Amino acid sequence: MSVKIRKIAVNVEEIHSEIGRVINPVTRKAVAVAVIENPFAGQYHEDLSDLMEIGAELGGLLGAKCVEALGITPEQAESYGKSAMVGENGELEHAAAILHPKLGAPLRAAVEKGAALVPSSKKMGSPGQVLDVPLGHKDAAYVRSHFDAIEVRLNDAPRANEIMVAVAVTDSGRPLPRVGGLTSTEAIGKDGLK
């Protein structure tokens, strides 16, 4: 089954100063969201493999859009995350089917490597609700400076028979990180933890 996309939106957030301090270089986050038709809206299906295949399509597509929006090369991406909001005629498991089995590998290809698990969230919702996309370092989960999130909201999505699927990518961690832990430059990225 091929994904039926109603719209795609891409947003880039840049932080230039924080609490009176200049951030140099600026920290940047991109989020790309696709509003898609939910092929299983309003009905129970035991087999959700069609949604898993849609996840595979969207992982690469949305990841590449984030990298392009940031104007970086894939290896310059530092953190990532994924999230989905299902409209009222769907179920939470539809979001899980899109996000978990197959979305990760194409996203990792879009950002080169990605040894760490991709942080995720899922929820039921309606048009205009906020969807938070959690972020974590793409190669080392213990890099605390990259524990973050970005939100996305679309005034017309998700409609009852839709799913809003978001992928986020950054070129840095939080501005002014100072809670200790492993730094991005210290990360080895072999086991996904350190």
Side-chain angles (χ1 to χ4, degrees):
M1 173 178 285
S2 184
V3 62
K4 293 181 181 175
I5 298 172
R6 180 167 66 85
K7 71 189 284 185
I8 292 178
V10 181
N11 185 49
V12 175
E13 175 183 293
E14 293 184 351
I15 299 176
H16 291 260
S17 69
E18 186 78 18
I19 201 134
R21 292 181 174 261
V22 172
I23 306 301
N24 188 14
V26 299
T27 63
R28 299 181 319 141
K29 304 178 212 176
V31 61
V33 59
V35 179
I36 67 166
E37 176 185 285
N38 183 349
F40 299 147
Q43 50 193 309
Y44 178 85
H45 282 266
E46 188 66 32
D47 181 0
L48 299 179
S49 56
D50 286 345
L51 290 174
M52 295 174 196
E53 294 304 323
I54 287 171
E57 282 185 61
L58 293 176
L61 173 68
L62 298 176
K65 285 194 174 293
C66 286
V67 169
E68 180 183 351
L70 290 170
I72 60 175
T73 60
E75 67 271 4
Q76 290 174 306
E78 291 194 12
S79 63
Y80 53 22
K82 59 187 178 180
S83 193
M85 184 187 301
V86 180
E88 66 178 297
N89 289 339
E91 60 175 302
L92 207 52
E93 197 65 8
H94 296 164
I98 287 175
L99 294 178
H100 297 302
K102 296 190 175 185
L103 186 145
L107 173 56
R108 286 179 175 88
V111 299
E112 285 195 13
K113 201 174 176 185
L117 288 174
V118 183
S120 68
S121 70
K122 60 199 75 53
K123 67 191 282 190
M124 301 290 295
S126 57
Q129 278 190 265
V130 171
L131 179 61
D132 290 312
V133 186
L135 290 162
H137 194 279
K138 72 175 186 177
D139 293 318
Y142 289 178
V143 178
R144 291 184 199 151
S145 59
H146 288 57
F147 296 167
D148 202 356
I150 187 168
E151 68 178 35
V152 62
R153 173 193 334 237
L154 299 176
N155 67 332
D156 66 346
R159 295 174 182 165
N161 296 333
E162 293 180 331
I163 305 173
M164 204 166 96
V165 182
V167 165
V169 175
T170 77
D171 66 359
S172 52
R174 295 186 314 277
L176 308 174
R178 52 193 188 279
V179 295
L182 188 68
T183 67
S184 184
T185 56
E186 295 169 339
I188 297 167
K190 283 189 178 180
D191 61 2
L193 299 175
K194 299 179 183 177

